[in-house]
């Protein structure tokens, strides 16, 4: 017996609850943000770890005072593939909720607080503020995992101050988290360095969203609602490079404070002002930009992969929403 128009409408009305849920714009952006974060960080993990090692190497430490090529060779020779991926597992665990909260909250804030009407265009200032608030939200939710990730990236490096350690017995993510909580001051220890982090993340995320949407608009031909993948890649690379270069000193301060009490590597900075003063006096202005070159080398592929995978995943999930049937 053929289905009647009423049967078709009823079937469409019931639909697939999961598809209906996952295809909602905010939910799709949340999920796509998590996928984008994990993909982008894994692609550039060796450069990301090298950047951290450069950042935390203060005056008197010369183990990684090398060119990028030689430093990567040293890392490979001493630690192999595991050295390239050190801390990446924790970073992916962290970056999935971080990126998901960042993209999801950006779309949530944009829709409910900044858009004057549905899909209304935002001014550059509105995108900056909205992106900044979204960045702060994601940092607060995931910061303990970020500080643990930094510790894991450093602990197996051949810094003389750390002494000789048996790599097979190095603590993992949960052990490091527990030890920091018990021995370094409880919950505040897991949020050490969050002030320079928030101070840097807000303008970074804001500049990133603002630059990306501006570049994407410039690269999109008039009348075309969806730019090509190549244009999305270029827009992501440009936005990432601009945002990270402008806010890089905050990232150096974040890493230094995250290991401020770490045995052998601690700097014992008393405040942000004290940290800046000590770095400038001992290392000069270049001290605030240590690791910038590997950072810039990773920004283009990282941000390009981040935005591309985000938009592809989001478009796929939004596309799961069934279209209305007209009979």
């Amino acid at each position: 017996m053929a289905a009647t128009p009423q049967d078709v409408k009823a079937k469409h009305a019931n639909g697939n609850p999961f598809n209906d849920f996952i295809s909602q714009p905010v939910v799709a952006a949340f999920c796509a943000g998590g996928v984008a974060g994990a993909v982008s960080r894994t692609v550039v993990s060796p450069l990301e770890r090298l950047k951290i090692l450069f950042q935390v190497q203060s005056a008197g430490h010369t183990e990684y005072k090398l060119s990028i090529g030689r430093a990567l060779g040293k890392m490979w020779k001493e630690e192999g593939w595991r050295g390239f991926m050190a801390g990446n597992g924790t970073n992916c665990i962290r970056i999935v909720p971080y990126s998901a909260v960042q993209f999801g909250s950006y779309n949530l804030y944009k829709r409910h607080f900044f858009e004057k009407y549905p899909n209304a265009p935002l001014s550059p200032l509105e995108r900056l503020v909205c992106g900044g608030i979204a960045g702060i939200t994601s940092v607060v939710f995931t910061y303990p995992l970020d500080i643990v990730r930094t510790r894991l990236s450093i602990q197996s490096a051949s810094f003389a101050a750390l002494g000789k350690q048996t790599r097979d017995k190095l603590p993992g993510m949960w052990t490091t988290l527990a030890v920091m909580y018990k021995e370094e001051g409880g919950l505040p220890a897991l949020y050490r360095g969050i002030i320079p982090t928030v101070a840097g993340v807000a303008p970074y995320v804001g500049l990133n969203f603002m630059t990306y949407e501006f570049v994407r608009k410039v690269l999109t031909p008039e009348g075309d609602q969806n730019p090509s993948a190549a244009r999305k890649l270029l827009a992501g690379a440009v936005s990432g490079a601009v945002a990270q270069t402008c806010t890089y000193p905050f990232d150096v301060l974040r890493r230094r404070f995250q290991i401020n009490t770490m045995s052998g590597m601690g700097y014992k900075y008393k405040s942000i002002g004290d940290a800046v003063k000590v770095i400038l006096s001992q290392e000069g202005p270049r001290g605030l930009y240590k690791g910038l070159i590997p950072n810039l080398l990773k920004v283009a592929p990282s941000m390009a992969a981040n935005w591309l995978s985000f938009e592809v995943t989001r478009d796929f999930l939004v596309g799961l929403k069934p279209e209305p049937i007209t009979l």
Side-chain angles (χ1 to χ4, degrees):
M1 180 177 175
T4 64
Q6 288 74 20
D7 293 334
V8 174
K9 287 184 178 180
K11 182 178 179 180
H12 173 71
N14 293 332
N16 185 322
F18 177 76
N19 284 0
D20 290 342
F21 173 76
I22 202 73
S23 62
Q24 295 178 40
V26 173
V27 177
F30 187 90
C31 296
V35 172
V39 170
S40 64
R41 291 309 190 274
T42 301
V43 166
V44 297
S45 180
L47 287 172
E48 177 66 21
R49 189 191 179 210
L50 182 61
K51 180 198 76 171
I52 293 175
L53 296 180
F54 281 177
Q55 287 178 324
V56 302
Q57 186 169 246
S58 61
H61 295 288
T62 59
E63 293 87 349
Y64 280 89
K65 197 173 183 179
L66 305 167
S67 65
I68 294 175
R70 291 180 63 189
L72 288 173
K74 172 183 172 70
M75 192 187 301
W76 176 263
K77 183 178 179 180
E78 294 178 350
E79 304 176 63
W81 179 253
R82 292 178 64 182
F84 280 178
M85 293 292 128
N88 187 59
T90 304
N91 195 29
C92 286
I93 294 175
R94 177 190 74 88
I95 209 63
V96 169
Y98 177 90
S99 295
V101 172
Q102 176 180 301
F103 282 109
S105 59
Y106 177 79
N107 281 275
L108 181 68
Y109 297 149
K110 184 173 71 169
R111 285 174 174 272
H112 293 281
F113 299 106
F114 290 91
E115 288 183 350
K116 297 178 177 62
Y117 54 88
N119 299 318
L122 269 61
S123 69
L125 179 60
E126 289 174 325
R127 288 197 293 267
L128 178 64
V129 174
C130 185
I133 298 174
I136 293 173
T137 303
S138 57
V139 164
V140 172
F141 270 91
T142 62
Y143 192 79
L145 289 175
D146 185 48
I147 194 171
V148 169
R149 176 279 185 102
T150 299
R151 298 288 184 99
L152 295 178
S153 296
I154 295 170
Q155 66 179 2
S156 61
S158 57
F159 285 118
L162 294 176
K164 294 184 178 180
Q165 305 181 65
T166 303
R167 291 193 178 96
D168 293 336
K169 296 182 179 180
L170 291 174
M173 180 180 72
W174 297 114
T175 302
T176 301
L177 195 68
V179 169
M180 288 184 64
Y181 183 85
K182 292 178 181 179
E183 299 181 1
E184 298 185 27
L187 190 61
L190 301 179
Y191 280 87
R192 185 176 292 113
I194 194 171
I195 294 178
T197 302
V198 169
V201 164
Y204 165 73
V205 177
L207 284 169
N208 193 16
F209 276 107
M210 183 178 69
T211 307
Y212 176 77
E213 294 198 19
F214 173 76
V215 175
R216 175 180 167 173
K217 183 178 180 180
V218 170
L219 295 176
T220 303
E222 188 173 350
D224 189 353
Q225 296 296 321
N226 195 24
S228 65
R231 291 190 177 96
K232 292 177 182 177
L233 282 168
L234 180 58
V238 171
S239 66
V242 170
Q244 291 216 16
T245 300
C246 291
T247 61
Y248 192 77
F250 290 107
D251 196 47
V252 173
L253 290 172
R254 170 175 63 159
R255 299 302 177 195
R256 296 288 181 95
F257 273 99
Q258 286 179 337
I259 63 170
N260 202 33
T261 57
M262 187 176 181
S263 177
M265 293 295 291
Y267 303 100
K268 311 303 180 186
Y269 298 135
K270 299 175 182 178
S271 64
I272 296 176
D274 179 58
V276 173
K277 181 180 178 180
V278 171
I279 291 173
L280 290 176
S281 63
Q282 295 183 356
E283 305 170 53
R286 295 180 63 180
L288 293 173
Y289 288 89
K290 282 186 172 180
L292 179 61
I293 295 178
N295 183 67
L296 290 177
L297 289 177
K298 80 176 182 63
V299 162
S302 174
M303 293 307 302
N306 188 63
W307 282 107
L308 179 62
S309 55
F310 168 75
E311 298 225 5
V312 169
T313 305
R314 184 193 60 186
D315 292 347
F316 170 76
L317 294 177
V318 171
L320 293 177
K321 186 177 181 66
E323 295 293 331
I325 297 177
T326 302
L327 297 175

